[in-house]
Amino acid sequence: MARPRAFDERQVLERAREQFWATGYAGTRMDDIAQATGLGKGSLYGAFGDKSKLFHRVFGDWCTAVVEVAEARLEGGPDAEALDRLAAYVHLMAENTASDTDHRGCLLAKGAAELAQHDPTVAGRSAETMTALLTLLRTEISAAQRHGDIDSAADPERLAALLLTVVRGIEAVGKAGLDPESLRNIADTALAVLPMPEGQTRLATGHSPAREN
């Protein structure tokens, strides 16, 4: 009869994630993970496999969390509130980056940059995550178009790709040291350039336009 594991798996994965996040995949040894988690290497291998498999588990959990954060803001609802939901998500991403004073960036971006070229698992999980984010953004843009807050003639797929690029780009330039106010300005500008129907002006970034008399 197998003995139950005498450790908290979630806690171990969180500590492993912190180690990979801090030193990258190549810069992390299983000895480092063992020290960070307090487990012997034999226990780590037995529970999670080798370093690659452990990273895939951590990376996959992170990607799931990235999508869940987006879903919590872009969860659907009345079309009249779609533009506000988009604004809330874009601003949240800017604020999260602004608060990252250690400039560690996002593990999704970090892992993809280091491994996606030669690791099919990381490449596939990264692409899957980007597709999910793109779908959420496109759905809200289409809702805002139905309500008349974004020009119905605009291509929602292209606008979603633009916002996704801005959101991920904010993370990149924030990691490079761009100041928090500039990050917030990028978010505001991206929302401000969303095309409005003719004869309307946006009252404030992320709020529904006002129709001109």
Side-chain angles (χ1 to χ4, degrees), residues 7-202:
F7 60 84
D8 185 327
E9 182 176 283
R10 180 178 296 275
Q11 186 179 70
V12 170
L13 289 170
E14 287 176 353
R15 291 179 179 176
R17 179 197 66 204
E18 291 297 312
Q19 187 65 50
F20 282 124
W21 200 1
T23 56
Y25 180 80
T28 299
R29 303 170 303 159
M30 286 299 280
D31 286 334
D32 300 321
I33 300 293
Q35 183 175 359
T37 61
L39 294 179
K41 287 194 293 183
S43 295
L44 287 170
Y45 283 120
F48 305 105
D50 60 16
K51 186 176 83 165
S52 176
K53 290 180 180 177
L54 177 57
F55 181 80
H56 289 162
R57 175 72 180 275
V58 168
F59 187 77
D61 288 348
W62 182 275
C63 289
T64 296
V66 167
V67 175
E68 288 176 346
V69 167
E71 288 174 337
R73 271 67 183 181
L74 308 174
E75 58 187 3
D79 288 356
E81 299 171 3
L83 185 60
D84 287 336
R85 291 192 294 271
L86 283 167
Y89 175 66
V90 174
H91 285 140
L92 174 67
M93 295 298 99
E95 289 302 325
N96 284 351
T97 301
S99 65
D100 180 18
T101 55
D102 292 332
H103 302 303
R104 290 197 299 177
C106 175
L107 186 62
L108 168 57
K110 196 169 188 175
E114 183 178 5
L115 297 173
Q117 184 177 2
H118 51 79
D119 187 323
T121 298
V122 171
R125 196 68 175 86
S126 300
E128 179 183 314
T129 303
M130 292 298 110
T131 298
L133 295 176
L134 191 65
T135 298
L136 289 166
L137 289 166
R138 184 180 64 241
T139 298
E140 294 291 9
I141 289 169
S142 295
Q145 288 177 305
R146 289 193 298 270
H147 188 255
D149 290 337
I150 296 177
D151 187 356
S152 62
D155 185 339
E157 186 78 27
R158 291 187 178 187
L159 293 181
L162 172 64
L163 287 185
L164 179 58
T165 302
V166 168
V167 166
R168 303 312 302 178
I170 285 174
E171 185 275 328
V173 297
K175 183 179 178 182
L178 197 63
D179 64 276
E181 189 61 27
S182 294
L183 301 178
R184 297 183 183 104
N185 288 339
I186 292 170
D188 287 341
T189 301
L191 293 164
V193 301
L194 292 174
M196 294 176 294
E198 186 176 356
Q200 295 185 21
T201 56
R202 191 152 290 145

